[in-house]
Amino acid sequence: MATPPARKPAVLEGVLERVTYANEENGYTVARVDTGRGSGPGELLTVVGALLGAQVGESLRMEGRWGSHPQYGKQFHVENYTTVLPATVQGIRRYLGSGLVKGIGPVFADRITRHFGLDTLQIIEESPERLVEVPGLGPKRTERIAAAWEEQKAIKEVMLFLQTVEVSTSIAVRIYKKYGDASISVVRNQPYRLAADVWGIGFLTADKIAQSVGIPHDSPERVKAGLQYALSQSADQGNCFLPEERLIADAVKLLQVDTGLVIECLAELAEPGPDGEEPGVVREKVPGPEGDGALVTGVYLVPFHRAEQALASRLLRLLRAEDDRMPWFRDVDWAKALGWLRTRTGADLAPEQEAAVRLALTEKVAVLTGGPGCGKSFTVRSIVELARAKRAKVVLAAPTGRAAKRLAELTGAEASTVHRLLELKPGGDAAYDQDRPLDADLVVVDEASMLDLLLANKLVKAVGPGAHLLFVGDVDQLPSVGAGEVLRDLLADGGPIPSVRLTRVFRQAQQSGVVTNAHRINAGRPPVTDGLKDFFLFVEDDTEEAGRLTVDVAARRLPARFGLDPRRDVQVLAPMHRGPAGAGALNGLLQQAVTPARPGLPEKRFGGRVFRVGDKVTQIRNNYEKGKNGVFNGTVGVVTSLDPDEQRLTVLTDEDEEVPYDFDELDELAHAYAVTIHRSQGSEYPAVVVPVTTGAWMMLQRNLLYTAVTRAKKLVVLVGSRKAIGQAVRTVSAGRRCTALDFRLSGRLSGPRPPE
């Protein structure tokens, strides 16, 4: 029996008028097009499917099939499309005015098409210098428009090539910005390079591209890329290394290849390259994460191995340095010094605070830890006062802008983020390092629980011999978002770094429900939620209802009762990102409540999100090339302007810096009305609202809830079930991260001296 001929796809032509929904991960789009065949003006047809990279205003020739949706009616399912340049003056004006070409908005589109008519696109393509004939278009803007037109054409070519593998628009733009005219060649011939070179492309996306261009499933190149991906995923979860057996098992599961092939490729990765290139990974015998003293073969990505070795050796070198930039405190009359301090601050130090002050001023490296209400802040202020009294150069830093501001207010001295202090440059190199150390006698780093291994190494590298370095932080909070547990490793039993732990809660702090309950949670006891003026529980067992109630409390009830600004003063902290009470869903609801759409005000839809002026946003990756000294993961700000013509919005960060974002960079930003508790580290807010629901069961741990509660200056509201709160209080975080810094510091591990 003959096979029936394949049905030819249907063809639809129309102008893309509006994008209703776009999934940036896979390019699936729901849009409205004007086919020019409707029964009335402005009648639009819904199209769905693979419209990756299509821009509003473009004329499209789409191939696909017709279908019907029970709710939305007739639809066209797009399988592929090509862009057709518009053929009417009205179409050209709409096309140019859509924001497709940077520098041309509706006003200039109208002027250009009035001047050049149907020849407009040909002029821009072949004789862009003639654009200066249009009133208001000078040579500079004309050059920018010509460059933007060329870039748009090149990006479109890359996008069309990537269309078959469902790579998102924003990633196609990044590939083009990284490789330029070589983009298609790299994608076709070296797809696994993308995972290392281009932010937003992980191994899985690169693997999908590799398969589509014919790279074999069992290719050694694929297996090596998969091993490095598994290590990098593990670093994202906080580990500096993985035990070899666990890495091999993870890679076999990920790659679906034979164990023997993975073992062979791992051995090759650990060897230097043929031209003397450094190996892709380092293997070393280290103590396993179980803490039973047994050694395992740890496999590190090179930057983490180098940083762990270097950080340990530099800390020991600082600690044991013979030079001392504050020699006056070796034989100071402490009774006299502390008496003078009392006249400055108006209060006595408790004995453990006194011990911390002496330690910081006499030891080259020291750690001060303790919970809320135990006087860490007052102790730091006292240390800074005494050092400055001796005219010591004191440098203050913290990992986030908010924490740095708080440190400055507390001490009355200037403080900055660690990134800004070191003047990190594109690529991550710092202006200050061992060859150009900071001009400081005392360096104080607050919120040190947030310091990951790589940042701590950069910081310590910049502290000169003889200077004193004090780490201040609460070791019971969540560890850093990045790899490592630096503060915990510095405080390890039997380690060489001297430390003081403040444990006494001061009487004034005992009157705070926030402080009292933080200590109860840390001790494994449930918080008291009745009869307090600053700590409340709204009981709601249903996760979805708890999400809605969280929004109502944060956006309406707290502002109405306590006079708080819902954007500036109230922060929702969620245990996880996903789910009906997760940060993702809550951000959408909170944006509707706090910054709703308003007629006539511009907004920019990007993927599943909409950005508006007034939105509270956060940076979700380290970008060393933005702002004065980079903009870093966790930086929070407010959108202050949005320009559809220039395709740019501006964010005023919590470090008071205005940072521009091109529209194709918006996947670096997320809304921050609600953030995960992990992302809130180092920040402090007047009021926090925390959904604690059984929907987040796997995330509910004591240090998570403790961290959330200690972010509040004045007020905490928990929303959820008593059962979920009980689970969080009872559950101690399982296991340590895979890190060997504490063993290197104690001298139990000694490898080759790291390169400087």
Side-chain angles (χ1 to χ4, degrees), residues 427-627:
D429 291 329
Y432 291 94
D433 56 19
Q434 71 273 4
D435 297 324
R436 187 195 176 198
L438 295 163
D439 183 16
D441 303 319
L442 170 65
V443 178
V444 179
V445 189
D446 200 8
E447 295 288 354
S449 62
M450 292 185 67
L451 282 178
D452 62 42
L453 175 68
L454 299 182
L455 185 58
N457 183 45
K458 285 185 171 74
L459 171 68
V460 173
K461 196 191 287 189
V463 179
H468 291 228
L469 174 60
L470 174 66
F471 295 98
V472 183
D474 185 346
V475 75
D476 294 320
Q477 285 183 29
L478 289 167
S480 57
V481 174
E485 278 189 291
V486 172
L487 186 62
R488 190 176 297 279
D489 284 342
L490 294 178
L491 288 163
D493 287 344
I497 309 296
S499 64
V500 169
R501 180 168 192 143
L502 305 179
T503 55
R504 175 189 157 195
V505 181
F506 286 89
R507 186 177 302 159
Q508 187 180 351
Q510 288 171 4
Q511 295 164 11
S512 159
V514 176
V515 170
T516 304
N517 277 329
H519 285 278
R520 286 181 66 87
I521 291 164
N522 204 29
R525 302 200 305 274
V528 175
T529 55
D530 293 324
L532 296 174
K533 294 178 182 177
D534 61 353
F535 203 106
F536 304 93
L537 168 64
F538 286 78
V539 177
E540 178 50 71
D541 291 335
D542 180 79
T543 300
E544 211 158 312
E545 281 301 318
R548 281 194 280 270
L549 182 53
T550 297
V551 172
D552 191 45
V553 168
R556 298 180 188 90
R557 297 195 196 189
L558 287 183
R561 181 166 171 189
F562 294 100
L564 298 171
D565 181 310
R567 192 186 291 112
R568 186 185 63 241
D569 300 329
V570 181
Q571 182 63 55
V572 173
L573 302 179
M576 57 196 292
H577 184 76
R578 294 189 176 141
L586 294 178
N587 264 318
L589 295 171
L590 285 160
Q591 185 192 35
Q592 287 172 29
V594 178
T595 318
R598 290 189 173 88
L601 285 183
E603 56 181 42
K604 172 61 182 173
R605 184 176 292 278
F606 188 91
R609 300 193 290 272
V610 178
F611 291 94
R612 301 182 182 123
V613 171
D615 270 342
K616 186 176 182 179
V617 292
T618 181
Q619 173 83 6
I620 59 171
R621 67 169 289 222
N622 287 345
N623 187 334
Y624 295 97
E625 301 189 22
K626 290 202 81 62

Side-chain angles (χ1 to χ4, degrees), residues 558-722:
L558 287 183
R561 181 166 171 189
F562 294 100
L564 298 171
D565 181 310
R567 192 186 291 112
R568 186 185 63 241
D569 300 329
V570 181
Q571 182 63 55
V572 173
L573 302 179
M576 57 196 292
H577 184 76
R578 294 189 176 141
L586 294 178
N587 264 318
L589 295 171
L590 285 160
Q591 185 192 35
Q592 287 172 29
V594 178
T595 318
R598 290 189 173 88
L601 285 183
E603 56 181 42
K604 172 61 182 173
R605 184 176 292 278
F606 188 91
R609 300 193 290 272
V610 178
F611 291 94
R612 301 182 182 123
V613 171
D615 270 342
K616 186 176 182 179
V617 292
T618 181
Q619 173 83 6
I620 59 171
R621 67 169 289 222
N622 287 345
N623 187 334
Y624 295 97
E625 301 189 22
K626 290 202 81 62
K628 189 180 172 189
N629 291 116
V631 180
F632 299 93
N633 190 353
T635 299
V636 175
V638 173
V639 178
T640 53
S641 68
L642 197 155
D643 187 335
D645 288 2
E646 294 299 321
Q647 297 181 55
R648 180 177 296 147
L649 62 74
T650 303
V651 173
L652 179 66
T653 72
D654 54 13
E655 295 176 59
D656 298 321
E657 181 180 10
E658 289 205 323
V659 180
Y661 288 80
D662 290 341
F663 284 172
D664 59 28
E665 298 176 309
L666 292 184
D667 54 352
E668 295 191 18
L669 286 178
H671 290 102
Y673 300 99
V675 297
T676 61
I677 296 166
H678 280 87
R679 291 191 72 81
S680 73
Q681 289 170 264
S683 295
E684 199 176 59
Y685 316 95
V688 301
V689 183
V690 190
V692 189
T693 68
T694 51
W697 196 257
M698 296 300 290
M699 293 296 294
L700 297 177
Q701 295 176 349
R702 187 181 299 169
N703 61 353
L704 190 85
L705 186 56
Y706 174 74
T707 299
V709 168
T710 55
R711 299 306 87 214
K713 276 197 273 195
K714 297 176 183 171
L715 185 65
V716 171
V717 181
L718 305 182
V719 180
S721 71
R722 295 186 191 278

Side-chain angles (χ1 to χ4, degrees), residues 233-312:
Q233 285 289 96
S234 177
D236 288 346
Q237 291 157 15
N239 295 309
C240 299
F241 68 86
L242 271 184
E244 187 174 50
E245 287 182 11
R246 189 165 136 198
L247 172 61
I248 291 168
D250 287 355
V252 168
K253 187 176 174 184
L254 168 73
L255 299 165
Q256 298 293 298
V257 294
D258 290 341
T259 304
L261 177 60
V262 172
I263 292 170
E264 278 175 37
C265 290
L266 179 57
E268 285 178 29
L269 260 183
E271 293 295 323
D275 299 322
E277 307 118 324
E278 65 178 22
V281 298
V282 175
R283 296 195 289 190
E284 185 184 5
K285 286 285 184 189
V286 292
E290 285 74 26
D292 56 7
L295 294 182
V296 299
T297 300
V299 185
Y300 288 80
L301 288 171
V302 172
F304 294 100
H305 185 259
R306 189 174 287 161
E308 197 174 82
Q309 281 195 327
L311 178 57

